[in-house]
Every structure is written in structure tokens, then in C-alpha cells.
Amino acid sequence: MERQLLDLSDVKLMVDTFYDKVQKDDLLGPIFNGRIQDNWPQHLEKMYAFWQTTLLGEHTYSGRPFPPHATLPVGPAHFNRWINLFTQTIDELFSGEKAEEAKWRAAKIAQMFELKVQHFQSS
Ligand code: HEM
């Protein structure tokens, strides 16, 4: 049976699995690798903290998530791919309430980022 998404080790598994897919993805891979280059360990640490804060209420992330995205060359197709890979990751690994919450929160944030990126590109 699939596991529940309950603690930091689950969050790490989720983040590692998701960014593994992202790095191999034809559309998203080049964008992430182009910006992050050899700083993947730092990026992953940041994302563990982001999701630990968002899903577990353990406040280890204190950055501002949106600004680094403002200047990325991304549009609706990229956000659709992002959310598809995220949903796929969760469904492969987890079941239960937190797993559903993770997909819901990710979709909401992606929606907001997409609108904000659009706004930046048109200003
Ligand atoms: C950081 C790409 C969507 C959360 C980053 C970075 C890249 C990136 C390249 C590293 C920036 C840097 O260090 O300079 C993308 C792309 C997306 C996307 C291409 C979709 C097309 C999302 C979504 C979320 C998210 C939907 C949240 C659910 C974050 C967070 C950071 C980050 C928290 C770290 C921000 C910080 O520096 O504190 N993203 N991202 N991203 N991303 Fe995304």
C-alpha cells in the first residue's frame, strides 16, 4: 500500500522524486538546469524546507518563493507540465489526506505564479 505523507522523510522523498522527473523533462529540464546549474543540492534543501513549512507546519523556510520565477521564460505550457509532474509524483508515492492537500496547494500556487509571471512579462 502507498504511504501517507506525514513527516520530513516523506517530504524529502516527494521533493527528490519530483525534481528527478523535472531534470529529465524535455520542457522543464533545460529551464531548471539553466538557472540552477550545479546548485541542485542547495535548491533541494530549500524545497525540503518550503514543503516542510507548507505541508507540515514546521517553519523552516523563510524566503519569498515568487521573485526567482519572475524572469523565467515560462508560460502556461510549463506550468501545466509542472503540475502534471507534481501530481504524478504524489500519486505514485502517497495516498491520504496530506497527499491530496499537497496536490491542491501546489495547483493553487502554480496558478498564482502563472498569473504573476504573465503580469511581469507584459509590464
Ligand atoms: C525556485 C523554476 C514552479 C516553488 C525555483 C528555481 C527555479 C524554478 C529555476 C531556482 C531559482 C534560483 O535559485 O535562482 C520553476 C519553474 C516552474 C516553477 C520553471 C514552473 C513552470 C513552482 C511552483 C512552486 C515553486 C508551482 C510552488 C508550489 C519554488 C520555491 C523556490 C523555487 C519555493 C525557492 C525560492 C527561494 O529562493 O526561496 N523555481 N518553478 N516553483 N520554486 Fe519554482
Side-chain angles (χ1 to χ4, degrees), residues 7-26:
D7 60 22
L8 183 57
S9 70
D10 300 323
V11 165
K12 287 184 175 177
L13 177 65
M14 171 186 97
V15 168
D16 289 344
T17 310
F18 174 64
Y19 286 102
D20 196 46
K21 290 187 198 295
V22 162
Q23 288 194 64
K24 291 178 182 142
D25 187 75
D26 57 345

Side-chain angles (χ1 to χ4, degrees), residues 8 32-33 35 41 47-48 51 54 57-58 78 97 115:
L8 183 57
F32 274 89
N33 287 319
R35 175 73 73 93
M47 297 315 296
Y48 300 152
W51 285 111
T54 306
E58 298 166 8
H78 300 89
E97 207 174 308
L115 286 171

Side-chain angles (χ1 to χ4, degrees), residues 32 35 43 46-47 50 61 68-69 72 78 82 109-110 113:
F32 274 89
R35 175 73 73 93
H43 180 66
K46 214 181 260 183
M47 297 315 296
F50 175 77
Y61 175 80
H69 302 85
L72 287 175
H78 300 89
W82 191 102
I109 300 169
F113 279 15

Side-chain angles (χ1 to χ4, degrees), residues 18-19 22 27-28 31-36 39-40 43 46-47 49-51 54 61-69 72-83 86 102 105-114 117:
F18 174 64
Y19 286 102
V22 162
L27 188 63
L28 295 180
I31 293 185
F32 274 89
N33 287 319
R35 175 73 73 93
I36 293 175
N39 292 322
W40 274 100
H43 180 66
K46 214 181 260 183
M47 297 315 296
F50 175 77
W51 285 111
T54 306
Y61 175 80
S62 61
R64 292 168 62 221
F66 180 70
H69 302 85
L72 287 175
V74 289
H78 300 89
F79 282 99
N80 284 344
R81 184 69 61 87
W82 191 102
I83 204 66
F86 191 88
R105 287 191 186 277
K108 287 284 166 203
I109 300 169
Q111 208 173 51
M112 185 178 70
F113 279 15
E114 187 179 332
V117 163

